[in-house]
Amino acid sequence: MVTMILDLTAELAATRLLAVIRGTDPAAAIATGTALLAEGVRMVEVALTTPGALDAIAAIRTAAPPGSLVGAGTVLTPAAVADVAAAGAQFVVTPAVVDSIGEAARRGLPVAAGALTPTEAYAAVRAGAAAVKLFPASLGGPAYLKALRDPFPDIPFVAVGGVGLAELPGYLAAGAIAVGVGGPLVGDAASGGDLDALRARARSYLAAVA
């Protein structure tokens, strides 16, 4: 068993921004991750739905500046946990309360587990999640997050799903320790899109969470 050395909650609270890389081109996903980290984004997640995701995780880890963290997203099964651990992922993200949570926790890989309802949020923590990814956050918005936090003030929530620059301050004000951003930040970069535009968006998001 791997000893857990990463305090995921503390890292998320410190950086306040998790970039979610989901694309169609393995090389572009690697270029996206390295560009984001070079701009100062400290935490990136590569979704396993991206072709070549495991290789991308390994390559981005190799190129990552000191203090950066590279994780795996859309990790659904215990077998997938083993795969991402072998690729060098430092944390795991799920879209729901799934079997991978307990396996990742057993291996010492901290998990941000997806949940939408109060029951799911509680179940995620009981299963071993270090943080709860409120997903899709846009379904209820900051007001829903605030309502969730009333009975669960000690659960660290990360708002993910439809968090644009305009919405970001509202989620942080409602008590999210961080936001996870895919499309509004990454755009089409992970499918071969403009990396200069990606870098500009990264700077805007970093300014917004600063």
Side-chain angles (χ1 to χ4, degrees), residues 74-96:
T74 323
V75 180
L76 303 178
T77 65
V81 173
D83 290 340
V84 302
Q90 294 164 286
F91 61 92
V92 165
V93 183
T94 78

Side-chain angles (χ1 to χ4, degrees), residues 31-196:
T32 296
T34 53
L36 287 167
L37 294 174
E39 285 298 329
V41 176
R42 284 187 49 222
M43 298 185 73
V44 300
E45 154 200 343
V46 180
L48 291 189
T49 51
T50 302
L54 296 174
D55 290 338
I57 290 167
I60 296 168
R61 275 277 332 249
T62 298
S68 303
L69 297 170
V70 181
T74 323
V75 180
L76 303 178
T77 65
V81 173
D83 290 340
V84 302
Q90 294 164 286
F91 61 92
V92 165
V93 183
T94 78
V97 181
V98 289
D99 293 342
S100 57
I101 300 170
E103 175 63 15
R106 185 186 71 80
R107 287 173 171 265
L109 273 176
V111 185
L116 179 62
T117 68
T119 299
E120 291 168 353
Y122 184 70
V125 173
R126 287 290 300 269
V132 170
K133 164 184 154 180
L134 178 62
F135 177 78
S138 58
L139 193 62
Y144 180 67
L145 170 60
K146 183 178 183 303
L148 264 184
R149 290 193 66 249
D150 286 343
F152 298 123
D154 296 328
I155 292 181
F157 283 99
V158 181
V160 183
V163 183
L165 277 172
E167 295 79 25
L168 186 154
Y171 286 107
L172 295 179
I177 63 167
V179 295
V181 190
L185 168 58
V186 175
D188 63 352
S191 298
D194 188 346
L195 289 177
D196 287 336

